[in-house]
Amino acid sequence: MTCVVARQDFRTPAVYVLQTLAVAACYYAGGRLGLLYELRVDGSVVSPIWPPTGIAVASLLLLGPRVWPGITLGALLVIAHLTSLGPASLGLLFAHTAAPLCAYWLLRRAGFRTDLGRLRDCLTLVFLGGFAAMLVSSTIAAGMLVVSGDLPAGSFRSVWLPWWVGDAMGVLLITPALLVLPRVRSPAHWSRWKEAVGLAVVAGVVVPFATQSTGSLLFSVYPLLIWAALRFELPGSILCALFASVLATAAATEREGPFAYVSDTQIMINLHAFNGAAALTALLLSAVITEQHNTRRSVELACQELVEVLEHLTAGEPAPHGRPQREEGPGAR
């Protein structure tokens, strides 16, 4: 017995260390991916979609707040890759750690459920976990750059806004994908397999064409998001939105397609508007559809139970739940 307890005590710290290191590795990998598509604003590097924030929030929701050192370690590795460490790095580390923790606290206070099966969960993730909590990281980070002299005070707003949007987009696109990933199941019927393959093929043709065409054809992506949400709910719609946002971000950073002949400000506005609309469409529409499906299943189950009860009562048999029937007799009331 003592051996078993000692082994469990040894295993718990080892699991915690592995989880923390895994979070740090995923955060750093997400940072490297985010830096592949970057925009420079007043000399600062800004990613239109910053995956590490989504990875950090999902890690806290799935593993608990105790893995926050992994977020800090991953942020330290990303900062060290970008620039030499200095006094401002401490402020950036605090900003990148505090924002996901703030998102976790706000979501838990609001009764957030990680299955994202309710509309309120998606709205909470968007407005509390994304828009509200990421104000912490963008404000502290841009402020530290101003204080350290790396950013002119007049450029605070021009850096703060894309920083905030990039962090928020990471939460809106990456966090839902990671939360639903453990629950993804292969379609049970061959017809659903064919439809899934068909959706993937159509998305593989339409999305690159829309993001590379010089005409304003980005709107053609939204029917795909609606199709994915109607037929495959959140797993299908969020993957489709993520695919479209990544290709649109790549086109914007390369100044191709609809971003070829516009100014830097227009690129930021158009890209953030498209990414935000795609994420909101995927999240909110799929949540409404999931709620409707759950309500229909609940009503069907209740009707089925009612029919069974009526059949037993008609046949004079006891109720299926084993409720004792009153005996009729002279003393019965």
Side-chain angles (χ1 to χ4, degrees):
M1 181 68 178
T2 305
C3 230
V4 173
V5 173
R7 185 177 302 172
Q8 290 178 348
D9 292 340
F10 173 77
R11 189 187 315 169
T12 301
V15 170
Y16 168 69
V17 171
L18 290 177
Q19 289 177 341
T20 303
L21 293 178
V23 170
C26 293
Y27 191 102
Y28 176 70
R32 294 297 300 269
L33 289 176
L35 293 174
L36 294 177
Y37 308 108
E38 61 186 32
L39 297 174
R40 292 194 173 270
V41 181
D42 291 334
S44 299
V45 177
V46 178
S47 177
I49 302 175
W50 188 236
T53 56
I55 295 172
V57 173
S59 300
L60 293 173
L61 291 173
L62 295 175
L63 302 177
R66 66 174 189 165
V67 298
W68 70 264
I71 299 173
T72 304
L73 178 58
L76 177 64
L77 295 175
V78 173
I79 295 173
H81 172 74
L82 283 174
T83 183
S84 58
L85 299 179
S89 302
L90 295 177
L92 295 177
L93 284 177
F94 176 77
H96 289 302
T97 306
L101 286 173
C102 181
Y104 172 82
W105 182 79
L106 289 174
L107 292 174
R108 286 308 184 198
R109 291 279 295 178
F112 176 78
R113 294 194 330 207
T114 56
D115 59 0
L116 293 171
R118 303 176 300 175
L119 179 61
R120 61 171 292 183
D121 294 327
C122 293
L123 291 173
T124 302
L125 180 65
V126 171
F127 291 102
L128 294 182
F131 294 156
M134 294 307 114
L135 290 171
V136 175
S137 58
S138 60
T139 303
I140 296 177
M144 287 301 302
L145 292 177
V146 172
V147 171
S148 63
D150 296 331
L151 181 70
S155 302
F156 174 85
R157 183 179 178 183
S158 61
V159 172
W160 173 85
L161 182 59
W163 198 309
W164 171 63
V165 175
D167 285 354
M169 287 301 104
V171 175
L172 268 60
L173 290 169
I174 304 299
T175 299
L178 295 178
L179 292 180
V180 303
L181 189 61
R183 299 185 291 107
V184 173
R185 299 292 183 270
S186 60
H189 302 287
W190 173 241
S191 59
R192 298 300 301 276
W193 268 109
K194 291 190 293 184
E195 185 176 5
V197 172
L199 175 60
V201 171
V202 174
V205 174
V206 173
V207 175
F209 177 76
T211 55
Q212 294 295 323
S213 175
T214 54
S216 300
L217 298 178
L218 290 176
F219 66 89
S220 61
V221 173
Y222 294 106
L224 294 177
L225 298 177
I226 297 173
W227 178 11
L230 288 173
R231 300 297 295 164
F232 301 100
E233 298 183 7
L234 184 58
S237 62
I238 198 63
L239 290 178
C240 189
L242 181 60
F243 177 62
S245 296
V246 169
L247 291 190
T249 302
T253 55
E254 298 295 333
R255 293 181 175 272
E256 297 176 346
F259 308 98
Y261 306 106
V262 296
S263 64
D264 293 341
T265 302
Q266 289 176 322
I267 288 177
M268 297 293 293
I269 293 175
N270 294 341
L271 178 62
H272 290 327
F274 173 75
N275 289 342
L280 290 175
T281 300
L283 282 171
L284 302 185
L285 181 59
S286 60
V288 171
I289 294 171
T290 300
E291 277 193 340
Q292 291 180 346
H293 288 172
N294 292 336
T295 302
R296 185 184 65 184
R297 282 191 289 265
S298 299
V299 172
E300 291 176 350
L301 181 60
C303 292
Q304 182 179 358
E305 292 178 350
L306 180 60
V307 169
E308 292 178 356
V309 171
L310 291 176
E311 289 178 350
H312 283 82
L313 292 177
T314 303
E317 299 176 358
H321 294 290
R323 295 178 181 175
Q325 294 181 343
R326 294 183 302 175
E327 295 183 359
E328 299 294 338
R333 293 182 180 178

